[in-house]
DNA sequence: AATAAATACTACAATAAAGTAGTATATAAG
DNA sequence: CTTATATACTACTTTATTGTAGTATTTATT
């Protein structure tokens, strides 16, 4: 996968929640629907709360609900919060000094891929998805 | 980085060698030029030999030389040999049943990114690079 | 044949990512 | 105020990737 597992999970959870963005989702329901392990999902949800995407409601009948409008959350925001978008902005051959002015042998070719990736994850937001298919595992 | 470290190293080494594709390169020279650790580079070169990209010349004054024309080696070939291209062809949200016929919420958006990536790595080959800048560390 | 200088192989070590266990804390409901 | 049920926290375990060490093998040179 291009993204890390954790980014993949974060996007999977948040895009699942975006289908009905004003309701509260319990950890249990998300775990059963999306087949992500209990403790791993809970830890990730705590992280996403701290980053301001969602808020958690503790105690009996608690769960998670969006704290920010899904329309305000781009995929790039989520990836950046979870694993850092910087991972995806560097030289494909790993040369630190590579730049537009000082390009590596593959720079111009690769920039096109990178721009496509970045523009897509920046423009795609959680409210603008095709909800005809919502997978549950 | 989108690619694994090992893919990055493999591409760095092979594109470096492609500047002068008929000469032999010793491990020592590649290590010094590209700052990849001794044993790691050697093991990777052995793998690349087994995959048919290069051949090794053992014994005194040995080294590595292309076994196949760089023009015949695409970036996708190298990535596939080193870490498997399948990692980059799946659903961005990790749903195994996601397909054109049964798309996940992000499928159509993501296909554009994936196609750009795949077409680029398939078309880019080791002979068709811009050698104005060859970095050495 | 001996030597020197190179690659090949096998096993191990270090690191980072992913996943798990157990306890603590919070809160709605009765 | 007690209980049930939820999330939060801390530490540990597992797995995959990356990197290292040491020995064996190969071969040009003398």
């Amino acid at each position: 996968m291009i993204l890390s597992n954790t980014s993949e999970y974060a996007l999977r959870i948040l895009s699942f929640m975006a289908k009905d963005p004003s309701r509260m989702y319990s950890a249990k329901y998300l775990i059963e629907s999306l087949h992500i392990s209990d403790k791993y999902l809970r830890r990730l949800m705590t992280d996403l709360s701290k980053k301001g995407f969602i808020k958690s409601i503790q105690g009996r009948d608690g769960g998670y609900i969006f704290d920010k409008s899904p329309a305000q959350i781009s995929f790039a925001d989520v990836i950046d919060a979870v694993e850092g978008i910087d991972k995806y902005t560097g030289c494909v051959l790993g040369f630190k000094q590579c730049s537009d002015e000082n390009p590596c042998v593959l720079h111009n070719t690769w920039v096109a891929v990178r721009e496509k990736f970045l523009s897509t994850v920046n423009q795609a937001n959680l409210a603008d998805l095709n909800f005809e298919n919502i997978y549950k595992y």
Side-chain angles (χ1 to χ4, degrees), chain A residues 4 20 42 52 124 129 133:
Chain A
S4 71
D20 189 354
R42 289 172 191 278
L129 297 171
N133 282 291

Side-chain angles (χ1 to χ4, degrees), chain A residues 12-80:
Chain A
R12 201 193 292 177
I13 295 161
L14 294 176
S15 57
F16 183 79
M17 289 173 66
K19 174 83 183 282
D20 189 354
S22 56
R23 68 164 276 193
M24 194 194 68
Y25 294 80
S26 71
K28 193 179 176 201
Y29 178 62
L30 294 173
I31 289 161
E32 288 172 353
S33 300
L34 299 172
H35 266 218
I36 299 172
S37 82
D38 186 326
K39 297 301 171 63
Y40 202 76
L41 177 133
R42 289 172 191 278
R43 195 176 57 183
L44 179 53
M45 295 309 268
T46 303
D47 286 349
L48 294 174
S49 299
K50 287 179 177 165
K51 299 287 186 178
F53 299 119
I54 56 177
K55 63 186 170 194
S56 66
I57 297 161
Q58 286 194 22
R60 183 171 171 168
D61 302 328
Y64 306 96
I65 191 167
F66 278 108
D67 193 25
K68 193 191 273 191
S69 163
Q72 301 293 110
I73 303 174
S74 74
F75 277 60
D77 292 334
V78 179
I79 295 166
D80 192 36

Side-chain angles (χ1 to χ4, degrees), chain A residues 75 118 123 137:
Chain A
F75 277 60
L118 291 174
Q123 284 167 31
Y137 270 96

Side-chain angles (χ1 to χ4, degrees), chain A residues 114-131:
Chain A
R114 200 161 69 195
E115 290 306 310
K116 185 72 187 174
F117 172 82
L118 291 174
S119 68
T120 300
V121 295
N122 273 302
Q123 284 167 31
N125 73 62
L126 292 171
D128 189 27
L129 297 171
N130 169 22
F131 289 110

